[in-house]
Amino acid sequence: MTTRPASPPRPAAAPRAPHRNGGPGGLAVLAAVTELRTSMRTPEFAVGVIAVPVLLYAMFGLPNAASPLPEGTRVGLAMLVSMCAYGIVSLAIFTFGEDVARERGRGWTRTLGATPYPTWVYLAGKTVNALLLAALIVVAMTVLAVLAGGVGMAVTSWAALAATLLGGVLAFSTLGFAIAFVARPRAAAVVANLIFLPLSFASGFFIPLGDLPQIMRDIAQYLPTYHFGQLAYRTVMPEADVEFWVGMASQPVWVHLAWVIGSAVVLGALALVAGRREAVTRRG
Protein backbone atom coordinates (compact mmCIF):
# COMPACT_ATOMS: atom_id res chain seq x y z
CA MET A 1 0.00 0.00 0.00
CA THR A 2 1.42 3.24 -1.08
CA THR A 3 0.96 6.52 0.66
CA ARG A 4 0.59 9.83 -1.04
CA PRO A 5 3.40 12.25 -0.50
CA ALA A 6 2.52 15.07 1.78
CA SER A 7 1.48 18.15 -0.17
CA PRO A 8 3.77 21.12 0.26
CA PRO A 9 2.52 23.71 2.70
CA ARG A 10 0.60 26.56 1.14
CA PRO A 11 2.31 29.90 1.24
CA ALA A 12 0.90 32.26 3.78
CA ALA A 13 -1.45 34.85 2.37
CA ALA A 14 0.15 38.19 1.90
CA PRO A 15 -1.08 40.69 4.48
CA ARG A 16 -3.57 43.17 3.15
CA ALA A 17 -2.32 46.66 2.65
CA PRO A 18 -3.77 48.97 5.26
CA HIS A 19 -6.61 51.16 4.03
CA ARG A 20 -5.31 54.65 3.56
CA ASN A 21 -7.54 57.64 4.12
CA GLY A 22 -5.02 60.34 3.37
CA GLY A 23 -4.22 61.05 6.99
CA PRO A 24 -5.86 63.88 8.93
CA GLY A 25 -6.35 65.89 5.75
CA GLY A 26 -8.15 63.00 4.08
CA LEU A 27 -10.35 62.55 7.12
CA ALA A 28 -11.26 66.25 7.01
CA VAL A 29 -12.21 65.99 3.32
CA LEU A 30 -14.27 62.86 4.00
CA ALA A 31 -16.02 64.59 6.89
CA ALA A 32 -16.82 67.60 4.71
CA VAL A 33 -18.21 65.43 1.90
CA THR A 34 -20.31 63.47 4.38
CA GLU A 35 -21.72 66.65 5.91
CA LEU A 36 -22.55 68.08 2.49
CA ARG A 37 -24.31 64.90 1.37
CA THR A 38 -26.29 64.86 4.60
CA SER A 39 -27.37 68.46 4.08
CA MET A 40 -28.41 67.86 0.50
CA ARG A 41 -30.42 64.80 1.52
CA THR A 42 -32.50 66.93 3.88
CA PRO A 43 -34.86 68.90 1.61
CA GLU A 44 -36.20 71.17 4.35
CA PHE A 45 -32.66 72.19 5.28
CA ALA A 46 -31.65 72.97 1.71
CA VAL A 47 -34.87 74.90 1.10
CA GLY A 48 -34.62 76.82 4.36
CA VAL A 49 -30.98 77.73 3.93
CA ILE A 50 -30.71 78.38 0.20
CA ALA A 51 -34.19 78.99 -1.21
CA VAL A 52 -35.57 81.31 1.48
CA PRO A 53 -32.97 84.11 0.99
CA VAL A 54 -33.48 83.87 -2.77
CA LEU A 55 -37.26 84.13 -2.42
CA LEU A 56 -36.98 87.04 0.00
CA TYR A 57 -34.74 88.87 -2.44
CA ALA A 58 -37.18 88.19 -5.27
CA MET A 59 -40.05 89.61 -3.21
CA PHE A 60 -38.37 92.61 -1.57
CA GLY A 61 -35.33 93.35 -3.70
CA LEU A 62 -36.44 92.98 -7.29
CA PRO A 63 -39.55 95.25 -7.31
CA ASN A 64 -37.42 98.36 -6.65
CA ALA A 65 -34.10 97.02 -7.91
CA ALA A 66 -33.54 99.85 -10.39
CA SER A 67 -34.23 102.66 -7.90
CA PRO A 68 -31.01 104.61 -7.19
CA LEU A 69 -29.61 105.79 -3.87
CA PRO A 70 -28.10 109.32 -3.67
CA GLU A 71 -24.65 108.27 -4.90
CA GLY A 72 -25.99 106.00 -7.62
CA THR A 73 -26.09 102.59 -5.90
CA ARG A 74 -29.09 100.58 -7.01
CA VAL A 75 -31.53 99.37 -4.39
CA GLY A 76 -31.20 95.93 -5.95
CA LEU A 77 -27.54 95.81 -4.92
CA ALA A 78 -28.21 97.04 -1.37
CA MET A 79 -30.96 94.44 -0.93
CA LEU A 80 -28.69 91.77 -2.38
CA VAL A 81 -26.13 92.47 0.34
CA SER A 82 -28.85 92.49 3.02
CA MET A 83 -30.40 89.19 1.94
CA CYS A 84 -27.00 87.53 1.51
CA ALA A 85 -26.03 88.61 5.02
CA TYR A 86 -29.33 87.24 6.29
CA GLY A 87 -28.70 83.91 4.56
CA ILE A 88 -25.13 83.66 5.84
CA VAL A 89 -26.06 84.34 9.48
CA SER A 90 -28.97 81.90 9.22
CA LEU A 91 -26.70 79.22 7.78
CA ALA A 92 -24.05 79.69 10.47
CA ILE A 93 -26.50 79.62 13.36
CA PHE A 94 -28.50 76.61 12.21
CA THR A 95 -25.63 74.53 10.80
CA PHE A 96 -23.51 74.89 13.92
CA GLY A 97 -26.36 75.35 16.38
CA GLU A 98 -29.37 73.21 15.58
CA ASP A 99 -27.44 70.43 13.82
CA VAL A 100 -24.77 70.06 16.51
CA ALA A 101 -27.43 70.19 19.23
CA ARG A 102 -29.36 67.42 17.48
CA GLU A 103 -26.24 65.27 17.25
CA ARG A 104 -25.46 66.06 20.87
CA GLY A 105 -28.95 64.93 21.91
CA ARG A 106 -28.51 61.66 20.03
CA GLY A 107 -25.22 61.01 21.79
CA TRP A 108 -23.18 61.29 18.60
CA THR A 109 -20.74 63.87 19.96
CA ARG A 110 -20.30 61.72 23.06
CA THR A 111 -19.55 58.69 20.90
CA LEU A 112 -16.98 60.62 18.88
CA GLY A 113 -15.33 61.76 22.10
CA ALA A 114 -14.73 58.11 23.04
CA THR A 115 -12.96 57.34 19.74
CA PRO A 116 -9.60 58.40 18.27
CA TYR A 117 -11.53 60.55 15.79
CA PRO A 118 -10.08 64.07 16.19
CA THR A 119 -12.52 66.74 17.32
CA TRP A 120 -11.01 69.26 14.94
CA VAL A 121 -11.88 66.99 11.98
CA TYR A 122 -15.52 66.96 13.09
CA LEU A 123 -15.50 70.77 13.30
CA ALA A 124 -13.61 71.13 10.04
CA GLY A 125 -16.17 69.00 8.22
CA LYS A 126 -19.02 71.19 9.41
CA THR A 127 -17.09 74.37 8.62
CA VAL A 128 -16.25 73.34 5.06
CA ASN A 129 -19.83 72.19 4.52
CA ALA A 130 -21.13 75.56 5.74
CA LEU A 131 -18.70 77.44 3.49
CA LEU A 132 -19.81 75.44 0.46
CA LEU A 133 -23.47 76.07 1.24
CA ALA A 134 -22.70 79.75 1.79
CA ALA A 135 -21.06 79.88 -1.63
CA LEU A 136 -24.22 78.35 -3.13
CA ILE A 137 -26.31 81.05 -1.48
CA VAL A 138 -24.08 83.83 -2.81
CA VAL A 139 -23.95 82.36 -6.31
CA ALA A 140 -27.71 81.76 -6.53
CA MET A 141 -28.55 85.26 -5.34
CA THR A 142 -25.90 86.85 -7.54
CA VAL A 143 -27.29 85.14 -10.64
CA LEU A 144 -30.79 86.34 -9.76
CA ALA A 145 -29.60 89.89 -9.05
CA VAL A 146 -27.65 90.11 -12.32
CA LEU A 147 -30.26 88.53 -14.59
CA ALA A 148 -33.46 89.89 -13.05
CA GLY A 149 -32.29 92.94 -11.10
CA GLY A 150 -29.76 94.41 -13.51
CA VAL A 151 -27.07 94.51 -10.83
CA GLY A 152 -23.55 94.87 -12.19
CA MET A 153 -20.16 95.42 -10.56
CA ALA A 154 -16.48 94.94 -11.22
CA VAL A 155 -15.07 91.47 -10.62
CA THR A 156 -12.98 92.77 -7.73
CA SER A 157 -16.11 94.11 -6.01
CA TRP A 158 -17.88 90.77 -6.41
CA ALA A 159 -14.82 89.00 -4.98
CA ALA A 160 -14.61 91.37 -2.00
CA LEU A 161 -18.30 90.91 -1.22
CA ALA A 162 -18.07 87.12 -1.48
CA ALA A 163 -15.00 86.99 0.77
CA THR A 164 -16.70 89.17 3.39
CA LEU A 165 -19.84 87.05 3.35
CA LEU A 166 -17.94 83.77 3.61
CA GLY A 167 -15.97 85.22 6.50
CA GLY A 168 -19.29 85.73 8.26
CA VAL A 169 -19.79 81.96 8.32
CA LEU A 170 -16.66 81.60 10.45
CA ALA A 171 -17.52 84.58 12.64
CA PHE A 172 -21.05 83.46 13.50
CA SER A 173 -20.31 79.76 13.75
CA THR A 174 -19.32 80.48 17.35
CA LEU A 175 -22.85 81.72 18.04
CA GLY A 176 -24.18 78.45 16.66
CA PHE A 177 -21.83 76.38 18.83
CA ALA A 178 -22.80 78.43 21.88
CA ILE A 179 -26.47 77.67 21.25
CA ALA A 180 -25.69 73.99 20.65
CA PHE A 181 -23.87 73.48 23.96
CA VAL A 182 -25.71 75.92 26.23
CA ALA A 183 -29.30 75.15 25.24
CA ARG A 184 -30.92 71.77 25.70
CA PRO A 185 -30.80 69.73 22.49
CA ARG A 186 -34.58 69.67 22.08
CA ALA A 187 -34.84 73.42 22.66
CA ALA A 188 -31.91 74.44 20.46
CA ALA A 189 -34.05 75.04 17.34
CA VAL A 190 -36.44 77.29 19.26
CA VAL A 191 -33.59 79.18 20.91
CA ALA A 192 -31.85 79.62 17.55
CA ASN A 193 -34.98 81.14 16.01
CA LEU A 194 -35.61 83.37 19.03
CA ILE A 195 -32.08 84.74 18.65
CA PHE A 196 -31.74 84.79 14.88
CA LEU A 197 -34.98 86.48 13.80
CA PRO A 198 -34.73 89.50 16.12
CA LEU A 199 -31.03 89.87 15.24
CA SER A 200 -31.81 89.90 11.53
CA PHE A 201 -34.69 92.35 11.85
CA ALA A 202 -32.86 94.73 14.19
CA SER A 203 -29.78 94.64 11.95
CA GLY A 204 -31.75 95.94 8.96
CA PHE A 205 -31.59 92.81 6.82
CA PHE A 206 -35.34 92.70 6.11
CA ILE A 207 -36.14 96.43 6.18
CA PRO A 208 -33.46 99.13 5.89
CA LEU A 209 -32.72 100.66 9.27
CA GLY A 210 -33.37 104.07 7.76
CA ASP A 211 -37.04 103.08 7.47
CA LEU A 212 -37.31 101.84 11.08
CA PRO A 213 -37.85 103.82 14.30
CA GLN A 214 -34.87 105.45 15.98
CA ILE A 215 -34.94 102.93 18.82
CA MET A 216 -34.10 100.17 16.36
CA ARG A 217 -31.08 102.11 15.12
CA ASP A 218 -29.97 102.62 18.73
CA ILE A 219 -30.21 98.88 19.41
CA ALA A 220 -28.50 97.92 16.15
CA GLN A 221 -25.21 99.54 17.17
CA TYR A 222 -24.73 96.82 19.81
CA LEU A 223 -25.41 93.85 17.54
CA PRO A 224 -22.57 91.99 15.80
CA THR A 225 -24.89 91.16 12.91
CA TYR A 226 -25.41 94.87 12.24
CA HIS A 227 -21.65 95.43 12.11
CA PHE A 228 -21.27 92.42 9.82
CA GLY A 229 -23.81 93.99 7.49
CA GLN A 230 -21.88 97.25 7.57
CA LEU A 231 -18.71 95.49 6.49
CA ALA A 232 -20.58 93.85 3.61
CA TYR A 233 -22.20 97.11 2.49
CA ARG A 234 -18.88 98.94 2.55
CA THR A 235 -17.31 96.49 0.09
CA VAL A 236 -19.69 97.49 -2.74
CA MET A 237 -21.38 100.79 -1.79
CA PRO A 238 -20.07 104.33 -1.33
CA GLU A 239 -20.02 105.55 2.26
CA ALA A 240 -22.75 108.12 1.59
CA ASP A 241 -25.12 105.45 0.27
CA VAL A 242 -24.42 103.21 3.24
CA GLU A 243 -25.30 106.07 5.59
CA PHE A 244 -28.49 106.77 3.65
CA TRP A 245 -29.46 103.08 3.63
CA VAL A 246 -28.98 102.55 7.37
CA GLY A 247 -29.96 106.02 8.49
CA MET A 248 -26.87 106.45 10.65
CA ALA A 249 -23.47 108.07 10.39
CA SER A 250 -20.73 105.70 9.27
CA GLN A 251 -18.05 104.39 11.60
CA PRO A 252 -14.49 103.33 10.82
CA VAL A 253 -14.08 99.82 9.44
CA TRP A 254 -12.01 98.78 12.45
CA VAL A 255 -14.99 99.42 14.72
CA HIS A 256 -17.15 97.00 12.76
CA LEU A 257 -14.33 94.45 12.65
CA ALA A 258 -13.81 94.77 16.40
CA TRP A 259 -17.48 94.08 17.08
CA VAL A 260 -17.64 91.05 14.78
CA ILE A 261 -14.35 89.49 15.88
CA GLY A 262 -14.86 90.36 19.55
CA SER A 263 -18.30 88.77 19.65
CA ALA A 264 -16.94 85.68 17.87
CA VAL A 265 -14.21 85.31 20.50
CA VAL A 266 -16.62 85.77 23.42
CA LEU A 267 -19.20 83.37 22.02
CA GLY A 268 -16.48 80.86 21.11
CA ALA A 269 -15.19 80.97 24.69
CA LEU A 270 -18.74 80.43 25.98
CA ALA A 271 -19.20 77.42 23.70
CA LEU A 272 -15.83 75.99 24.78
CA VAL A 273 -16.63 76.35 28.47
CA ALA A 274 -20.06 74.77 27.99
CA GLY A 275 -18.58 71.89 25.98
CA ARG A 276 -15.90 71.17 28.58
CA ARG A 277 -18.44 71.35 31.39
CA GLU A 278 -20.57 68.76 29.62
CA ALA A 279 -17.53 66.51 29.13
CA VAL A 280 -16.63 66.75 32.83
CA THR A 281 -20.24 66.01 33.81
CA ARG A 282 -20.24 62.86 31.66
CA ARG A 283 -17.00 61.62 33.17
CA GLY A 284 -18.21 62.38 36.69
Side-chain angles (χ1 to χ4, degrees):
M1 182 175 180
T2 60
T3 59
R4 293 182 179 180
S7 58
R10 295 181 179 180
R16 292 183 178 181
H19 178 71
R20 299 188 181 277
N21 53 29
L27 277 177
V29 172
L30 179 60
V33 172
T34 303
E35 290 288 343
L36 184 61
R37 292 177 63 183
T38 301
S39 299
M40 292 295 100
R41 286 176 179 174
T42 309
E44 61 271 18
F45 180 84
V47 170
V49 168
I50 300 174
V52 169
V54 174
L55 291 174
L56 289 175
Y57 179 72
M59 290 188 296
F60 298 110
L62 291 183
N64 300 311
S67 301
L69 298 180
E71 293 295 321
T73 303
R74 289 192 172 195
V75 169
L77 175 57
M79 285 300 298
L80 171 66
V81 177
S82 295
M83 290 295 100
C84 280
Y86 159 83
I88 294 299
V89 175
S90 170
L91 173 67
I93 290 178
F94 289 101
T95 298
F96 295 98
E98 185 179 357
D99 280 7
V100 174
R102 187 185 301 115
E103 293 173 358
R104 175 176 161 239
R106 293 172 179 171
W108 179 240
T109 55
R110 181 177 182 179
T111 301
L112 288 179
T115 68
Y117 190 77
T119 302
W120 74 265
V121 171
Y122 171 74
L123 301 180
K126 289 201 170 292
T127 301
V128 173
N129 174 51
L131 288 172
L132 292 174
L133 292 175
L136 287 177
I137 293 173
V138 174
V139 170
M141 296 191 65
T142 297
V143 171
L144 179 62
V146 171
L147 297 181
V151 175
M153 292 189 299
V155 175
T156 53
S157 297
W158 284 116
L161 176 61
T164 302
L165 292 171
L166 293 181
V169 175
L170 304 179
F172 292 101
S173 64
T174 56
L175 174 56
F177 280 123
I179 294 172
F181 286 102
V182 173
R184 294 182 178 179
R186 292 184 178 180
V190 176
V191 172
N193 278 292
L194 289 175
I195 292 175
F196 165 67
L197 292 176
L199 276 179
S200 298
F201 183 80
S203 299
F205 294 159
F206 296 126
I207 302 174
L209 284 172
D211 296 336
L212 295 177
Q214 180 62 43
I215 187 172
M216 299 303 295
R217 294 194 287 274
D218 294 338
I219 293 173
Q221 299 180 62
Y222 301 98
L223 303 177
T225 44
Y226 160 77
H227 293 280
F228 170 60
Q230 292 299 296
L231 291 172
Y233 293 132
R234 295 281 282 271
T235 60
V236 296
M237 295 168 59
E239 187 173 329
D241 280 351
V242 176
E243 291 181 349
F244 180 84
W245 186 252
V246 302
M248 291 189 292
S250 63
Q251 296 175 288
V253 172
W254 70 264
V255 174
H256 303 306
L257 281 173
W259 270 96
V260 173
I261 296 175
S263 63
V265 171
V266 172
L267 291 168
L270 176 62
L272 182 61
V273 170
R276 287 184 174 178
R277 182 182 61 186
E278 182 181 35
V280 170
T281 302
R282 289 200 304 261
R283 288 195 298 266

